[in-house]
Each structure stands twice: as C-alpha cells, then as structure tokens.
Amino acid sequence: MGNEYSPVELAKGVYWVGVVDWNIRDFHGYVTPKGTTYNAYLIVDEKIALVDTVKSHFAGELIKNIQKIIDPTRIDYVISNHVEMDHSGSLPVIMRLIPDAKLIATKRGKDGLCHHFNGMGCNEWNFEVVETGSELSLGKKTLMFIEATMLHWPDSMHTYIKEDKILLSNDAFGQHIASSHRFNDEVGDVMDAAAEYYANILMPFGSQILNYVDKVGKLGIEIDMIAPCHGVIWRKDPAQIIAAYGRWANAETVPKVLIIYDTMWKSTERMGKAMLDGVRAAGVEVKLLNLKKNDWSAIIKEVLDAPVIAVGSPTLNNGMYPSVAGFLTYLKGLRPKGKKSVAFGSFGWGGGAVKAVENELIAGGFEIMEPGLQIKFRPNKDDFKACYEMGDRLAKIAKISKVK
Ligand code: FEO
C-alpha cells in the first residue's frame, strides 16, 4: 500500500508533497473540526529543493511522496521557512538521508532549529542563512527569500519561485482544512476558514502584516499562486487573500454585536437574550455565543470583524466563571484592536464577576462603553428592560464603527 495521496504538480517541476491530517481536532488549543494539512513542496530543476517538511510522525509519508518523483537522496537544498514543529518536525529524518544538503533558513530560523534539535544532529547540518532578497538558483528556476517576521513567529520566512510566480508562504494565508483537493477553486468556504485561521493565529500581528504587504509591494513581485503550509493553495485569484489580510490587519469591521457568555442558572443567559432582542430591534446583526456550546476558535473568528462585544458571566466565588476567565485569557493574548465592550451578569450574594470581566477586557485593550450591568438572582421586568436598552445602545455603536 502506498500513502493516501500522490504529489500534485503546481507548475512544471513544482510539486506539493505534503500530508493530510484528517484527524487532528486540537492544534495547540485551536479547535480544528475540519482537520488540516502540512504542505511541503518539492522543486525539481538542475538542482532540487525541498521547501518545509511535516510533523515528525508523518515523515514516512513525506518521503514516500518525494519518492514518487525523485530519489530523496538527490535533494540539494532543504528550505526551512519556519521552525515550528508542524513544518520542521521531520527535518532530522530528512537530513539523515541527505547529510550534505544545504539547510536554508533565516538567522532566527537557524537559531530556533539549533535550540530545538540540540543533540539531534543539528550540529552537523550545513546551514546557509538568508535574508530578504537573497536568491538561490536551481538552474532554470530562481528562489527568492522574503523574511516574514511575526507572520507568525520571529523566524518566519517565505520562498518565492520567480519564474513561476509562486509564493510559498508557510503559515501565512493558510487555513485548517483537510481535503482530498489541493486548490482553493476545488473546495468551498475557503475564505471563511482563512478568516478563522487569521483570527486565531495572526490577529496579534496586524502591524507586521501591513509591513509585510508593503515590503512585498516594494519588491515588485507578481504573484500568480500562493501556496501556504496549511490547507489549500490559492490558485484562483490569490490577490483576494492578500486583500483580506489587509482588511483584517486594519481591524475593519461590519455592523455586528457579539454576546459572549456562560451561565450558571440561566439568569446571565436570560440577560444576554434580552440584550440580543435590543440589538436585533435596532436592525444590527447579533450573535449569542455560549462559551460551553461553541468552539472558542470559532468565536474568535466572529470577534475578528465585530466592533462591539458584550461579555457575560455569573459570579462564582466572588469572581468570573472559570470558562469566561479562560476565554478572556485566550482573547487577551490575540490582542484584537479597536473593539468596544460591556460586561454583564447575575449574582446571588455579593457579585464580583462583572468587575472582573471589565478588568480583563481593559487589560486586553478593549474600550469599555459603559459600566457593566449586574443583577441579583433572576432578572425581573426592569432588569430585562435595562438589558434590552443596553442592546439598543450596543447596536447604535456597532452601526457607526469602522466598516468594510
Ligand atoms: Fe507556526 Fe504551522 O506552524
């Protein structure tokens, strides 16, 4: 039996040789219900280059894919665009096959690989450090390297095949989709998956993304295809994903309110539903997102283009519900820009959750629109009215926020 998929040719002599991970459902905390792929690329010319590898336990599949095209011992160059182990995990296996090959990385890439693979052969690896604009001729094809600092790690790099106008962009422009197809025109909902990927992986790095887009513009390169290391390849209209990154990096929003909450005895949920009615009556899109019923990664995708977010928590032990605290910790780390927010929740004895939520929102860079709304035990008629009216105010702010 061979492995599941054969290499796919992107252009003459340029092959996808990666693997499809159908079963992964948790990618260091990012929930991946559609699985993912680890895309590696083989460029066959007078010299042969392998760009990126795959997770270590898929090394055998990677090698089998390469063997369908060439004898892997013929590889002259291995290009490591990124240190993280989903792309460099198979390097020790590959480098044992080709100990004389050059291993190309950025300065930080070399440093990261040497630290990670200390004692695993890296002392013998024949590194060549490159920077933006460095070129490598394979014969008829020329590779140009572009540092992509903080897209999404300090070491990240992209490899551009000049003659084919293909950008091998590693994590940037990826999506977590496992598919038997390799190209964006063959599957649906790619932009949706790309937005979720951006929100969960790249949202903290908006200014660096804008710098990168500016840098690529100044290099004057044309891009006919963008081949990331996760998901499908942008063969049809690759400019669309660059434009989307520009919008997301600029924190552009649509008129939309999110009500994100957890609840103990349904009182906080009832508050959220009354708030939802107020937003809806004002004609603005609104989503009610229970933290126990929705994947946090999917909620973060909604946060990406929402200008206004209400966060609700019941009080437990004078503080936030643990699920709300956990979510806000995750959200804070992703540093969404330009968001307005309010806190709400119910309490039984002394309260404390609403203030704690506000403090976390402030720490995460959110602007607090108004003091939080807290009610005792079950919301009564006046409480529902207050929630409804708060929803109306949230909607009005969402309407005038920066829009796409
Ligand atoms: Fe930063 Fe796909 O690893």
Side-chain angles (χ1 to χ4, degrees):
M1 291 285 287
N3 61 337
E4 206 175 356
Y5 294 106
S6 294
V8 173
E9 195 167 29
L10 279 59
K12 189 171 168 38
V14 180
Y15 301 89
W16 175 89
V17 289
V19 301
V20 181
D21 190 347
W22 292 97
N23 293 327
I24 187 166
R25 291 294 177 270
D26 185 329
F27 200 112
H28 53 51
Y30 176 163
V31 178
T32 50
K34 295 177 182 168
T36 195
T37 67
Y38 313 111
N39 300 337
Y41 298 96
L42 188 73
I43 306 166
V44 180
D45 197 347
E46 290 160 29
K47 298 285 185 181
I48 299 174
L50 173 66
V51 182
D52 290 313
T53 71
V54 298
K55 277 188 174 177
S56 57
H57 59 278
F58 287 115
E61 277 197 45
L62 171 67
I63 291 168
K64 280 181 192 167
N65 265 345
I66 295 169
Q67 281 170 333
K68 289 176 182 169
I69 305 164
I70 51 130
D71 176 348
T73 61
R74 289 180 55 209
I75 293 171
D76 300 287
Y77 300 99
V78 177
I79 293 154
S80 172
N81 277 326
H82 180 30
V83 169
E84 200 166 6
M85 288 302 108
D86 48 332
H87 308 300
S88 67
S90 296
L91 268 182
V93 174
I94 293 291
M95 296 309 287
R96 272 199 294 276
L97 283 177
I98 43 172
D100 296 328
K102 270 206 173 142
L103 176 53
I104 292 175
T106 61
K107 186 169 179 293
R108 287 173 174 138
K110 178 185 174 187
D111 184 58
L113 292 172
C114 288
H115 274 88
H116 189 85
F117 292 115
N118 186 18
M120 296 171 69
C122 76
N123 290 343
E124 281 98 55
W125 295 349
N126 185 13
F127 277 101
E128 180 172 328
V129 168
V130 292
E131 56 189 18
T132 297
S134 300
E135 293 192 355
L136 172 68
S137 173
L138 299 179
K140 293 186 180 63
K141 295 182 192 291
T142 314
L143 306 184
M144 183 171 79
F145 303 104
I146 304 168
E147 289 168 275
T149 311
M150 302 318 296
L151 273 71
H152 67 125
W153 276 19
D155 65 285
S156 297
M157 177 174 85
H158 297 172
T159 298
Y160 177 66
I161 310 171
K162 288 177 89 167
E163 291 74 12
D164 299 310
K165 301 178 182 172
I166 298 175
L167 182 70
L168 307 177
S169 63
N170 196 266
D171 279 325
F173 312 121
Q175 339 86 40
H176 283 316
I177 300 174
S179 173
S180 58
H181 297 290
R182 298 277 70 82
F183 297 102
N184 66 321
D185 47 293
E186 298 174 315
V187 297
D189 298 330
V190 180
M191 191 55 85
D192 221 41
E196 184 166 329
Y197 181 95
Y198 179 96
N200 284 276
I201 303 286
L202 290 143
M203 189 153 58
F205 310 117
S207 60
Q208 289 92 338
I209 287 163
L210 294 174
N211 285 342
Y212 169 84
V213 171
D214 186 50
K215 179 162 67 176
V216 169
K218 285 183 178 144
L219 287 170
I221 62 175
E222 291 176 35
I223 298 173
D224 284 352
M225 196 181 289
I226 297 178
C229 268
H230 296 292
V232 292
I233 294 160
W234 299 90
R235 173 171 69 180
K236 184 180 178 189
D237 188 15
Q240 66 179 300
I241 188 61
I242 296 177
Y245 267 50
R247 289 196 302 276
W248 297 329
N250 275 312
E252 291 184 11
T253 57
V254 296
K256 180 169 86 171
V257 174
L258 303 183
I259 300 169
I260 301 170
Y261 72 100
D262 203 345
T263 195
M264 191 186 306
W265 295 107
K266 304 283 187 192
S267 291
T268 301
E269 184 169 75
R270 288 188 183 101
M271 292 178 75
K273 285 182 175 174
M275 213 177 283
L276 177 144
D277 286 341
V279 179
R280 190 170 51 190
V284 167
E285 184 189 353
V286 54
K287 291 191 175 175
L288 188 72
L289 298 164
N290 183 317
L291 285 167
K292 287 212 185 73
K293 308 290 184 191
N294 295 275
D295 291 335
W296 292 3
S297 316
I299 295 176
I300 294 294
K301 186 229 157 193
E302 295 296 337
V303 169
L304 182 62
D305 63 358
V308 177
I309 294 159
V311 178
S313 175
T315 291
L316 180 69
N317 301 327
N318 299 114
M320 282 179 277
Y321 226 42
S323 55
V324 180
F327 175 76
L328 288 177
T329 298
Y330 184 54
L331 180 65
K332 190 166 64 173
L334 291 168
R335 303 198 291 276
K337 307 281 186 307
K339 310 286 183 193
K340 296 182 170 63
S341 64
V342 292
F344 68 97
S346 74
F347 67 96
W349 313 331
V354 166
K355 192 68 208 160
V357 168
E358 280 180 351
N359 288 341
E360 278 299 280
L361 288 168
I362 290 166
F366 284 76
E367 180 185 332
I368 302 294
M369 282 173 49
E370 56 181 83
L373 185 58
Q374 56 178 350
I375 62 107
K376 189 162 183 173
F377 286 99
R378 286 167 61 93
N380 61 27
K381 197 174 157 201
D382 289 341
D383 295 326
F384 281 129
K385 183 167 179 285
C387 292
Y388 183 94
E389 288 172 355
M390 181 179 260
D392 181 66
R393 292 192 295 278
L394 301 185
K396 287 194 168 85
I397 296 295
K399 275 183 183 170
I400 59 170
S401 295
K402 186 176 172 186
V403 293
K404 285 178 186 171

